[in-house]
Amino acid sequence: MNTVTLTSALKEKLLNKTATLGVIGLGYVGLPLAVEKAKAGYKTIGFDVQESKVKMVNEGKNYIGDVVNEDLESLVGSGHLLATTDFSKVGQADCVCICVPTPLDAYQQPDISYVKASAESIVPYMHRDMLIVLESTTYPGTTEELLKPILEESGLKCGEDFFLAYSPERVDPGNLTFKTKNTPKVVGGITSKCTDVAAALYESILEAPIHRVSSPAVAEMEKILENIYRNINIGLINELAILSNKMGINLWEVVDAAKTKPYGFQAFYPGPGLGGHCIPLDPYYLSWKAREYGFHTSMIESSMMVNDRMPEYCVERASKILNKQKKAMNGSRILVLGVAYKKDIDDYRESAALRVIDELEKEGAEVAFFDPFIPEYNEHGKVKKGEAQLTVELIEGADLVMITADHTMVDYSFVQQHAKAIFDTKNAMKDVTNRENIELL
Ligand SMILES: NC(=O)c1ccc[n+]([C@@H]2O[C@H](COP(=O)([O-])OP(=O)(O)OC[C@H]3O[C@@H](n4cnc5c(N)ncnc54)[C@H](O)[C@@H]3O)[C@@H](O)[C@H]2O)c1
């Protein structure tokens, strides 16, 4: 079979939805993607190394906020979606998307081991005319330099016997407007045929434009650019928040005023530090790769210096607020509101609130937390239980309430009425008129 027929054969299967699709890694990115594929009419197999997730999916039990419970239930019920830890089933898939974690190691260097491990688990089951797409965020070069050689150990040749592309995942957990289904997708294949097949896959699933680029490296760099852009702008606004506080200027009011400009300005807001699986980590993937070229990503370093110091800065400010009440941080009772890394989600990975709590506890404060989405969290094996309810007693019992996530469902007027003092690092209290006990970051 020549390449042209191979491409057409797979495209035909995509066109008439007879292809079987695989998703490796059933987390925040992979599960919504698997659901969309199944909803588009494909038989979809989800792979994960965690038995518990596989079991939940197969029981139709949802564990990701952006997935609709009934969708998962009915897709599993109809046999369109199933999950497994058995990688030999990769052999049944025509297309496989890899959505595994890309964290940093203890030295802030890329930990690409999950991507490597998933590629290695595909190799024994690869077959001709198969499409593999990496969706995990990573440094430019990963698909071509790392993934391609591993996959070619199967004896199949990339671009001829199988197709390989990179397509960054842009899902924004909790976003009510843009979901996996309607967010434009960027696709870059090793060859133009690889791009073509990968674009055909996403065109058949999504209701969003597919933007083709000339190589996986362009697509990889594009994703990193998106996140560096956010990281650097957040660094800038955090630095200005520190300065504005010294100058007695309300930076939130400044940003609201700047936002009236209809072009050339995008609003970013300060906070207690960066959180989540992407913005604090991804720039370091590029900084690491840049060193191979003797290049220093100074803008990334500068913004990280500001962002990484924000939790400590917020604790210093909290100390000053307590000081005004003639109280020392040591022995004070502090109620932290919101430990998710952003509003209205249940994800606390890399959340700045956890670093704030650590810093407060190091200073001797007694810290309780309440988060309507997170009843408890586990940080490096240390479990901290949250308060079950936001009661008058809980609020009145705290010397300071510190808001570190601006969840919509919290009644901030109620908090204001009962708190001795509030340090609002997210401007969650913006609609509360009585501001006598509120201090803003
Ligand atoms: N969460 C987001 O908002 C978001 C947004 C855009 C991009 N991304 C990127 O997408 C990728 C995945 O992120 P996520 O948030 O979905 O991670 P996650 O931790 O929620 O899910 C990853 C899943 O992969 C599984 N896994 C790990 N190793 C595996 C292996 N060898 N084989 C099969 N499964 C394996 C894990 O058990 C887990 O269920 C990361 O590169 C991340 O940077 C995440």
Side-chain angles (χ1 to χ4, degrees), residues 205-422:
I205 301 165
L206 307 181
E207 278 167 14
I210 311 297
H211 183 87
R212 294 154 192 244
V213 293
S214 59
S215 67
V218 170
E220 288 158 340
M221 187 69 144
E222 178 283 316
K223 172 66 189 181
I224 299 258
L225 166 65
E226 287 173 25
N227 287 354
I228 290 173
Y229 172 81
R230 292 191 63 75
N231 183 305
I232 287 178
N233 278 289
I234 295 167
L236 169 69
I237 211 74
N238 277 334
E239 187 170 76
L240 292 182
I242 298 170
L243 174 65
S244 297
N245 178 253
K246 283 182 184 290
M247 297 173 80
I249 293 170
N250 178 337
L251 185 67
W252 306 86
E253 195 184 343
V254 173
V255 175
D256 279 348
K259 247 168 61 177
T260 60
K261 187 180 177 187
Y263 47 85
F265 180 81
Q266 186 185 359
F268 285 86
Y269 297 95
L274 293 174
H277 193 37
C278 299
I279 313 294
L281 277 61
D282 301 346
Y284 283 131
Y285 267 70
L286 188 64
S287 300
W288 174 84
K289 186 67 180 172
R291 288 204 287 278
E292 191 182 313
Y293 296 83
F295 191 92
H296 296 270
T297 50
S298 61
M299 304 277 283
I300 293 173
E301 285 305 320
S302 304
S303 79
M304 286 300 203
M305 276 161 62
V306 178
N307 290 327
D308 278 349
R309 235 196 71 69
M310 287 311 284
E312 268 174 76
Y313 170 77
C314 287
V315 170
E316 284 160 21
R317 289 277 300 275
S319 239
K320 286 184 180 168
I321 297 170
L322 289 169
N323 192 43
K324 283 184 202 155
Q325 301 173 42
K326 302 195 184 341
K327 280 208 167 285
M329 174 70 80
N330 195 347
S332 285
R333 279 171 301 178
I334 300 190
L335 172 63
V336 169
L337 277 192
V339 291
Y341 77 83
K342 68 173 181 177
K343 78 186 266 185
D344 299 341
I345 61 162
D346 62 357
D347 190 350
Y348 59 80
R349 289 177 298 175
E350 313 292 328
S351 173
L354 307 195
R355 284 188 53 203
V356 166
I357 292 176
D358 281 351
E359 291 295 326
L360 290 169
E361 287 180 340
K362 265 192 234 157
E363 296 300 317
E366 261 177 56
V367 186
F369 83 86
F370 172 76
D371 189 309
F373 296 92
I374 301 171
E376 65 173 38
Y377 66 80
N378 183 335
E379 195 193 19
H380 313 304
K382 195 179 121 200
V383 177
K384 190 168 172 76
K385 278 202 177 307
E387 301 296 322
Q389 275 186 322
L390 191 56
T391 60
V392 172
E393 296 71 42
L394 182 65
I395 302 168
E396 282 181 351
D399 298 304
L400 176 69
V401 176
M402 206 165 160
I403 300 174
T404 42
D406 48 343
H407 294 314
T408 318
M409 64 164 80
V410 173
D411 182 346
Y412 293 107
S413 294
F414 172 74
V415 176
Q416 187 280 323
Q417 280 161 34
H418 299 287
K420 291 188 183 88
I422 298 162

Side-chain angles (χ1 to χ4, degrees), residues 17-89:
K17 303 271 168 78
T18 52
T20 297
L21 308 185
V23 174
I24 299 189
L26 297 173
Y28 286 91
V29 165
L31 189 62
L33 184 65
V35 165
E36 284 312 327
K37 287 177 169 179
K39 271 170 82 177
Y42 290 109
K43 178 177 177 199
T44 305
I45 309 174
F47 299 86
D48 207 289
V49 287
Q50 288 186 50
E51 293 271 6
S52 55
K53 282 189 176 168
V54 164
K55 188 166 177 283
M56 282 183 81
V57 171
N58 288 335
E59 286 170 358
K61 289 186 186 147
N62 180 28
Y63 51 87
I64 297 288
D66 282 351
V67 170
V68 178
N69 298 347
E70 294 74 31
D71 282 354
L72 184 71
E73 219 180 312
S74 79
L75 292 167
V76 171
S78 67
H80 278 90
L81 178 63
L82 69 97
T84 182
T85 54
D86 175 5
F87 279 80
S88 71
K89 290 202 167 68

